[in-house]
Short mmCIF file of all heavy atoms in Angstrom, two decimals:
data_model
loop_
_atom_site.label_atom_id
_atom_site.label_comp_id
_atom_site.label_asym_id
_atom_site.label_seq_id
_atom_site.Cartn_x
_atom_site.Cartn_y
_atom_site.Cartn_z
N PHE O 160 0.31 23.27 -15.25
CA PHE O 160 1.00 24.53 -15.12
C PHE O 160 1.78 24.91 -16.42
O PHE O 160 1.62 26.05 -16.92
CB PHE O 160 1.97 24.40 -13.99
CG PHE O 160 2.77 25.69 -13.76
CD1 PHE O 160 2.23 26.80 -13.11
CD2 PHE O 160 4.07 25.76 -14.22
CE1 PHE O 160 2.94 27.87 -12.91
CE2 PHE O 160 4.76 26.88 -14.01
CZ PHE O 160 4.29 27.95 -13.46
N VAL O 161 2.47 24.11 -16.98
CA VAL O 161 3.18 24.37 -18.27
C VAL O 161 2.20 24.78 -19.37
O VAL O 161 2.48 25.51 -20.15
CB VAL O 161 4.07 23.14 -18.70
CG1 VAL O 161 4.72 23.41 -20.03
CG2 VAL O 161 5.14 22.97 -17.60
N PHE O 162 1.02 23.95 -19.53
CA PHE O 162 0.08 24.12 -20.51
C PHE O 162 -0.50 25.64 -20.31
O PHE O 162 -0.73 26.27 -21.34
CB PHE O 162 -0.94 23.06 -20.48
CG PHE O 162 -1.98 23.17 -21.62
CD1 PHE O 162 -1.54 23.01 -22.89
CD2 PHE O 162 -3.25 23.45 -21.34
CE1 PHE O 162 -2.49 23.10 -23.92
CE2 PHE O 162 -4.11 23.55 -22.38
CZ PHE O 162 -3.83 23.36 -23.68
N ALA O 163 -0.73 25.85 -19.07
CA ALA O 163 -1.41 27.25 -18.84
C ALA O 163 -0.41 28.39 -19.26
O ALA O 163 -0.85 29.38 -19.80
CB ALA O 163 -1.73 27.37 -17.35
N GLY O 164 0.84 28.16 -19.07
CA GLY O 164 1.88 29.06 -19.39
C GLY O 164 1.80 29.30 -20.88
O GLY O 164 1.99 30.38 -21.51
N VAL O 165 1.75 28.27 -21.70
CA VAL O 165 1.75 28.28 -23.10
C VAL O 165 0.60 29.14 -23.58
O VAL O 165 0.56 29.85 -24.55
CB VAL O 165 1.75 26.96 -23.73
CG1 VAL O 165 1.66 27.02 -25.27
CG2 VAL O 165 3.13 26.23 -23.42
N LEU O 166 -0.63 28.88 -22.91
CA LEU O 166 -1.79 29.53 -23.37
C LEU O 166 -1.67 31.07 -23.20
O LEU O 166 -2.21 31.77 -23.93
CB LEU O 166 -3.02 29.08 -22.56
CG LEU O 166 -3.60 27.70 -22.88
CD1 LEU O 166 -4.81 27.31 -21.92
CD2 LEU O 166 -4.14 27.63 -24.28
N ASN O 167 -0.99 31.47 -22.11
CA ASN O 167 -0.85 32.99 -21.89
C ASN O 167 -0.07 33.65 -22.87
O ASN O 167 -0.22 34.84 -23.08
CB ASN O 167 -0.24 33.13 -20.48
CG ASN O 167 -1.36 32.93 -19.37
OD1 ASN O 167 -2.49 33.18 -19.60
ND2 ASN O 167 -0.82 32.67 -18.18
N ALA O 168 0.94 32.92 -23.48
CA ALA O 168 1.82 33.53 -24.39
C ALA O 168 1.27 33.60 -25.77
O ALA O 168 1.55 32.79 -26.65
CB ALA O 168 3.23 32.86 -24.52
N GLN O 169 0.29 34.51 -25.98
CA GLN O 169 -0.49 34.47 -27.14
C GLN O 169 -0.50 35.82 -27.94
O GLN O 169 -1.23 35.97 -28.89
CB GLN O 169 -2.10 34.27 -26.82
CG GLN O 169 -2.35 32.85 -26.25
CD GLN O 169 -2.02 31.78 -27.21
OE1 GLN O 169 -2.54 31.81 -28.34
NE2 GLN O 169 -1.14 30.85 -26.89
N VAL O 170 0.29 36.69 -27.65
CA VAL O 170 0.41 38.05 -28.36
C VAL O 170 1.81 38.01 -29.05
O VAL O 170 2.81 38.06 -28.49
CB VAL O 170 0.33 39.15 -27.37
CG1 VAL O 170 0.32 40.57 -28.15
CG2 VAL O 170 -1.01 39.07 -26.63
N ASN O 171 1.66 38.23 -30.38
CA ASN O 171 2.93 38.44 -31.21
C ASN O 171 3.26 39.85 -31.23
O ASN O 171 2.42 40.69 -31.47
CB ASN O 171 2.68 37.89 -32.59
CG ASN O 171 2.38 36.36 -32.65
OD1 ASN O 171 2.92 35.54 -31.84
ND2 ASN O 171 1.42 35.95 -33.52
N LEU O 172 4.53 40.16 -31.14
CA LEU O 172 5.14 41.53 -31.13
C LEU O 172 6.03 41.70 -32.31
O LEU O 172 6.83 40.90 -32.60
CB LEU O 172 5.79 41.91 -29.87
CG LEU O 172 5.17 41.76 -28.51
CD1 LEU O 172 6.12 42.26 -27.46
CD2 LEU O 172 3.88 42.39 -28.46
N SER O 173 5.80 42.77 -33.05
CA SER O 173 6.81 43.13 -34.18
C SER O 173 7.18 44.60 -33.89
O SER O 173 6.31 45.49 -33.71
CB SER O 173 6.12 43.07 -35.43
OG SER O 173 6.98 43.49 -36.54
N ILE O 174 8.41 44.90 -33.79
CA ILE O 174 9.01 46.19 -33.45
C ILE O 174 9.64 46.92 -34.57
O ILE O 174 10.28 46.42 -35.37
CB ILE O 174 9.96 46.10 -32.25
CG1 ILE O 174 9.41 45.26 -31.14
CG2 ILE O 174 10.35 47.47 -31.70
CD1 ILE O 174 10.54 44.91 -30.10
N SER O 175 9.25 48.27 -34.83
CA SER O 175 9.79 49.06 -35.83
C SER O 175 10.51 50.23 -35.17
O SER O 175 9.84 50.98 -34.40
CB SER O 175 8.82 49.50 -36.95
OG SER O 175 9.43 50.36 -37.80
N VAL O 176 11.85 50.47 -35.42
CA VAL O 176 12.55 51.75 -34.82
C VAL O 176 12.99 52.43 -35.98
O VAL O 176 13.62 52.02 -36.94
CB VAL O 176 13.78 51.23 -33.97
CG1 VAL O 176 14.42 52.49 -33.42
CG2 VAL O 176 13.33 50.32 -32.85
N ARG O 177 12.73 53.84 -35.99
CA ARG O 177 13.10 54.71 -36.93
C ARG O 177 14.50 54.86 -37.21
O ARG O 177 15.33 54.75 -36.21
CB ARG O 177 12.47 56.09 -36.80
CG ARG O 177 12.47 56.95 -38.07
CD ARG O 177 11.71 58.26 -37.76
NE ARG O 177 12.63 59.13 -36.87
CZ ARG O 177 12.16 60.17 -36.23
NH1 ARG O 177 10.86 60.47 -36.22
NH2 ARG O 177 13.06 60.98 -35.39
N THR O 178 15.02 54.85 -38.49
CA THR O 178 16.41 55.11 -38.75
C THR O 178 16.59 56.35 -39.58
O THR O 178 15.91 56.65 -40.54
CB THR O 178 16.94 53.89 -39.63
OG1 THR O 178 16.82 52.73 -38.86
CG2 THR O 178 18.39 54.11 -39.96
N PRO O 179 17.51 57.23 -39.21
CA PRO O 179 18.43 57.20 -38.08
C PRO O 179 17.59 57.36 -36.73
O PRO O 179 16.47 58.07 -36.74
CB PRO O 179 19.35 58.30 -38.19
CG PRO O 179 18.66 59.30 -39.10
CD PRO O 179 17.71 58.58 -39.95
N THR O 180 18.10 56.74 -35.56
CA THR O 180 17.33 56.65 -34.37
C THR O 180 17.87 57.88 -33.50
O THR O 180 19.06 58.00 -33.28
CB THR O 180 17.64 55.35 -33.70
OG1 THR O 180 17.27 54.15 -34.55
CG2 THR O 180 16.78 55.34 -32.39
N PRO O 181 16.92 58.63 -32.96
CA PRO O 181 17.33 59.76 -32.21
C PRO O 181 17.97 59.27 -30.97
O PRO O 181 17.54 58.23 -30.32
CB PRO O 181 16.01 60.57 -31.89
CG PRO O 181 15.12 60.17 -32.96
CD PRO O 181 15.53 58.74 -33.33
N PRO O 182 19.01 59.89 -30.33
CA PRO O 182 19.66 59.35 -29.16
C PRO O 182 18.92 59.59 -27.87
O PRO O 182 19.20 58.90 -26.88
CB PRO O 182 20.95 60.01 -29.11
CG PRO O 182 20.68 61.36 -29.83
CD PRO O 182 19.69 61.04 -30.85
N THR O 183 18.01 60.45 -27.79
CA THR O 183 17.42 60.94 -26.58
C THR O 183 16.15 60.07 -26.29
O THR O 183 15.28 59.91 -27.01
CB THR O 183 16.89 62.45 -26.66
OG1 THR O 183 16.12 62.64 -27.84
CG2 THR O 183 18.11 63.35 -26.70
N ILE O 184 16.16 59.47 -25.06
CA ILE O 184 15.06 58.60 -24.61
C ILE O 184 13.74 59.38 -24.47
O ILE O 184 12.75 58.81 -24.71
CB ILE O 184 15.44 57.80 -23.45
CG1 ILE O 184 16.61 56.76 -23.71
CG2 ILE O 184 14.29 57.11 -22.86
CD1 ILE O 184 16.99 55.90 -22.58
N SER O 185 13.89 60.64 -23.99
CA SER O 185 12.62 61.53 -23.87
C SER O 185 11.98 61.61 -25.19
O SER O 185 10.72 61.76 -25.32
CB SER O 185 12.96 62.85 -23.32
OG SER O 185 13.95 63.49 -24.04
N ASP O 186 12.78 61.72 -26.36
CA ASP O 186 12.18 61.73 -27.66
C ASP O 186 11.38 60.49 -27.96
O ASP O 186 10.33 60.47 -28.62
CB ASP O 186 13.16 61.97 -28.75
CG ASP O 186 13.73 63.37 -28.85
OD1 ASP O 186 13.01 64.28 -28.15
OD2 ASP O 186 14.69 63.71 -29.42
N TRP O 187 11.87 59.36 -27.55
CA TRP O 187 11.25 57.98 -27.70
C TRP O 187 9.89 58.00 -27.09
O TRP O 187 8.91 57.51 -27.60
CB TRP O 187 11.99 56.84 -27.13
CG TRP O 187 13.31 56.66 -27.86
CD1 TRP O 187 14.04 57.50 -28.64
CD2 TRP O 187 14.13 55.49 -27.58
NE1 TRP O 187 15.12 56.98 -29.02
CE2 TRP O 187 15.28 55.79 -28.41
CE3 TRP O 187 14.02 54.37 -26.86
CZ2 TRP O 187 16.32 54.75 -28.41
CZ3 TRP O 187 15.00 53.38 -26.91
CH2 TRP O 187 16.25 53.65 -27.68
N GLN O 188 9.80 58.75 -25.94
CA GLN O 188 8.45 58.75 -25.17
C GLN O 188 7.49 59.78 -25.87
O GLN O 188 6.26 59.46 -25.85
CB GLN O 188 8.70 59.06 -23.70
CG GLN O 188 7.41 59.21 -22.89
CD GLN O 188 7.78 59.61 -21.46
OE1 GLN O 188 8.61 60.46 -21.25
NE2 GLN O 188 6.93 59.23 -20.51
N ASN O 189 8.01 60.78 -26.47
CA ASN O 189 7.19 61.90 -26.91
C ASN O 189 6.82 61.77 -28.45
O ASN O 189 5.86 62.35 -28.82
CB ASN O 189 7.79 63.23 -26.54
CG ASN O 189 7.85 63.39 -25.09
OD1 ASN O 189 6.96 63.01 -24.32
ND2 ASN O 189 8.96 63.96 -24.62
N ASP O 190 7.65 61.23 -29.23
CA ASP O 190 7.55 61.19 -30.68
C ASP O 190 7.02 59.86 -31.13
O ASP O 190 7.74 58.81 -31.07
CB ASP O 190 8.89 61.43 -31.46
CG ASP O 190 8.79 61.66 -32.89
OD1 ASP O 190 7.73 61.21 -33.42
OD2 ASP O 190 9.66 62.27 -33.54
N PRO O 191 5.83 59.66 -31.55
CA PRO O 191 5.30 58.45 -31.86
C PRO O 191 5.77 57.70 -33.09
O PRO O 191 5.43 56.55 -33.43
CB PRO O 191 3.70 58.77 -32.05
CG PRO O 191 3.70 60.19 -32.47
CD PRO O 191 4.77 60.79 -31.72
N THR O 192 6.59 58.54 -33.89
CA THR O 192 7.08 57.91 -35.13
C THR O 192 8.42 57.15 -34.83
O THR O 192 8.87 56.50 -35.75
CB THR O 192 7.30 59.04 -36.18
OG1 THR O 192 8.43 59.89 -35.77
CG2 THR O 192 6.07 59.87 -36.42
N ILE O 193 9.06 57.36 -33.69
CA ILE O 193 10.46 56.72 -33.43
C ILE O 193 10.20 55.18 -33.25
O ILE O 193 10.90 54.38 -33.82
CB ILE O 193 11.05 57.30 -32.30
CG1 ILE O 193 11.33 58.86 -32.56
CG2 ILE O 193 12.34 56.67 -31.96
CD1 ILE O 193 11.92 59.64 -31.49
N ILE O 194 9.36 54.88 -32.35
CA ILE O 194 9.17 53.38 -31.96
C ILE O 194 7.63 53.01 -32.27
O ILE O 194 6.83 53.73 -31.71
CB ILE O 194 9.61 53.02 -30.55
CG1 ILE O 194 11.05 53.28 -30.32
CG2 ILE O 194 9.32 51.58 -30.33
CD1 ILE O 194 11.45 53.02 -28.90
#
Side-chain angles (χ1 to χ4, degrees):
F160 177 79
V161 173
F162 185 65
V165 173
L166 284 178
N167 281 335
Q169 293 296 305
V170 181
N171 297 321
L172 307 186
S173 177
I174 310 170
S175 174
V176 180
R177 194 178 75 197
T178 301
T180 306
T183 53
I184 292 183
S185 59
D186 283 344
W187 296 12
Q188 183 183 29
N189 299 320
D190 188 341
T192 68
I193 296 174
I194 300 178

